[in-house]
């Protein structure tokens, strides 16, 4: 069993339905998940919003957030994830934005910002975000980012379940 099959099995077992909001990865997170069996049960839809205008129009990312924090920021990825979740029947969203090559007035190449938002029954949405730097050529960074986003979804969800169940007595 490969890592994507393990992610898929976990998502099916926990009835997680995913929506992605992808910029830098350009749909690769969703595509990786579709490589697994049963993908139709765990993937609702995917938004690829590469330009700032598309992020605003399709995912309701606030222009002020982009201006204040930049496109490659956790704040933008969080708004992307919330926007995707609001436009889907999914109960978990992954968002990614970043840079894969040197760009003026931009973070270092390989910088990736992620957000995961879990919509849990009878609870407030749980939001996680982080920034990581991946080494490699453009497509190596994109691939590593997609794989990381899915693997991290499992770890974060497992942490939520453990926290909800409380201490073992």
């Amino acid at each position: 069993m490969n890592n994507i099959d393990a992610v898929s099995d976990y998502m099916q077992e926990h009835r997680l339905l995913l929506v992605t909001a992808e910029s830098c990865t350009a749909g690769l997170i969703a595509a990786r998940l579709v490589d697994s069996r049963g993908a139709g049960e765990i993937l609702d839809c995917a938004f690829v919003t590469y330009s700032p205008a598309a992020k605003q129009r399709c995912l309701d990312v606030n222009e002020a957030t982009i201006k204040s924090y930049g496109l490659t920021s956790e704040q933008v990825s969080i708004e992307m994830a919330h926007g995707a979740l609001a436009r889907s029947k999914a109960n978990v969203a992954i968002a990614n934005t970043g840079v894969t090559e040197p760009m003026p007035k931009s973070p270092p190449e390989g910088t990736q910002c992620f957000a995961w938002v879990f919509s849990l029954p009878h609870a407030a949405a749980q939001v996680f975000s982080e920034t990581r730097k991946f080494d490699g050529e453009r497509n190596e960074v994109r691939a590593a980012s997609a794989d990381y986003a899915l693997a991290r979804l499992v770890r974060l969800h497992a942490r939520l379940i453990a926290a909800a169940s409380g201490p073992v007595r």
Side-chain angles (χ1 to χ4, degrees), residues 5 22 25-26 32 38 52 54 66 77 84 92 103-104 107-109 111-112 115 117 136 142 146 153 159-160 165 169:
D5 285 338
E22 303 182 57
T25 51
R32 286 280 206 258
I66 295 170
S77 68
V92 61
M103 297 179 69
E109 62 187 288
T111 301
Q112 302 292 301
V117 178
R142 292 178 59 244
L153 177 148
R159 184 188 310 167
L160 286 173
S165 63
R169 295 180 187 197

Side-chain angles (χ1 to χ4, degrees), residues 84-98:
L85 205 53
R87 290 158 177 77
S88 166
K89 65 178 187 170
N91 57 11
V92 61
I94 296 175
N96 163 266
T97 184

